[in-house]
Amino acid sequence: MLTILQLPVLNDNYIYLLHDTVSGDTAVVDPAVAQPVLDALAKNNWRLTAILNTHHHGDHVGGNLELKQLTGCTVIAALADQHRIPGIDRGVVDGEAITLGRHSARVISTPGHTSGHVVYHFADDNALFCGDTLFVMGCGRLFEGTAEQMWQSLQTLKTLPAATQIYCAHEYTQANGRFALTVEPGNLQLKQRMEVINQLRAKNLPTVPSTIEQELATNPFFREDGLELQETVQRVGKKPVEVFAAVRKLKDEF
Ligand code: ZN
Ligand code: FE
């Protein structure tokens, strides 16, 4: 069993602790800050063995050095970002495998939000840790990449098994959903999902994880094929990447 613990930190970040019960190995994905991770490790009597970073932004690597210093864990991140990941020990590239006890993940390169962004797919555990590439009903802003790159990255994620759980790094769901409704007001599944999301958020509960299946049905950045979406952005019959770019631009201005 891979145990996954979700820690809400800062305004809207999620840190994930992954624990392999057999080996005792524990990894943390995108530790924005160290203390909540240290507290969770102590509470569960877990030993931190690795940090997995998706990209170099401060709200994803802020706890790296303190955690490394206190636990001696290995910092794993994109080789392309080795100059800007604090404490990096191992640089990984697209397609490479990493292991946590008996569990293994494939590194998938997903440029767009940043040029070096990577995600970690634990196929046997049906879990994807996708940082700021894919959000629930949204996707990351294009800070360093082009719309074409981000679209390609999302195309890769779209092909993962429908049941894959999406563990993204932010609780942006409610705002994303409000935008999604403006571009696909006729999407019934989206409307229904927003009711559930609003109820969860009213109780301050997480809306993450999601699944690839749910995203295919409700995430506008997965739905360039939809006629209603194409009509909203006045790109009927255009190339999917053009539809995507237009939706991304609208979201930036939303
Ligand atoms: Zn970011
Ligand atoms: Fe972030």
Side-chain angles (χ1 to χ4, degrees), residues 55-221:
H55 65 296
H56 72 285
H57 285 159
D59 63 318
H60 299 257
V61 302
N64 274 25
L65 292 180
E66 191 178 345
L67 290 171
K68 182 176 172 174
Q69 191 184 20
L70 292 173
T71 67
C73 67
T74 303
V75 179
I76 299 171
L79 182 64
D81 276 343
Q82 61 177 333
H83 59 291
R84 53 184 185 177
I85 298 282
I88 187 169
D89 295 299
R90 178 177 166 196
V92 289
V93 298
D94 185 62
E96 196 166 337
I98 56 149
T99 56
L100 180 73
R102 290 185 186 177
H103 303 268
S104 80
R106 181 168 63 103
V107 176
I108 305 172
S109 175
T110 58
H113 178 66
T114 66
S115 56
H117 199 295
V118 293
V119 302
Y120 300 92
H121 181 223
F122 289 78
D124 295 340
D125 301 285
N126 262 323
L128 176 73
F129 297 91
C130 51
D132 290 358
T133 293
L134 175 65
F135 293 124
V136 180
M137 294 189 277
C139 75
R141 273 178 193 274
L142 305 177
F143 285 123
E144 296 177 359
T146 62
E148 171 81 39
Q149 283 177 313
M150 184 57 121
W151 179 77
Q152 276 298 346
S153 297
L154 293 173
Q155 292 309 107
T156 307
L157 301 187
K158 258 174 133 169
T159 65
L160 296 178
T164 307
Q165 303 269 319
I166 307 303
Y167 293 92
C168 55
H170 291 276
E171 178 61 63
Y172 288 161
T173 307
Q174 210 167 22
N176 286 344
R178 279 192 207 112
F179 169 74
L181 279 170
T182 67
V183 290
E184 278 195 302
N187 183 337
L188 191 64
Q189 267 178 282
L190 176 57
K191 280 191 224 175
Q192 289 167 343
R193 191 174 189 197
M194 269 309 273
E195 284 173 28
V196 177
I197 298 292
N198 289 337
Q199 283 166 13
L200 286 170
R201 293 313 294 154
K203 295 180 209 152
N204 207 25
L205 292 171
T207 65
V208 180
S210 168
T211 62
I212 289 289
E213 183 173 26
Q214 285 178 300
E215 294 314 305
L216 288 171
T218 58
N219 189 328
F221 299 105

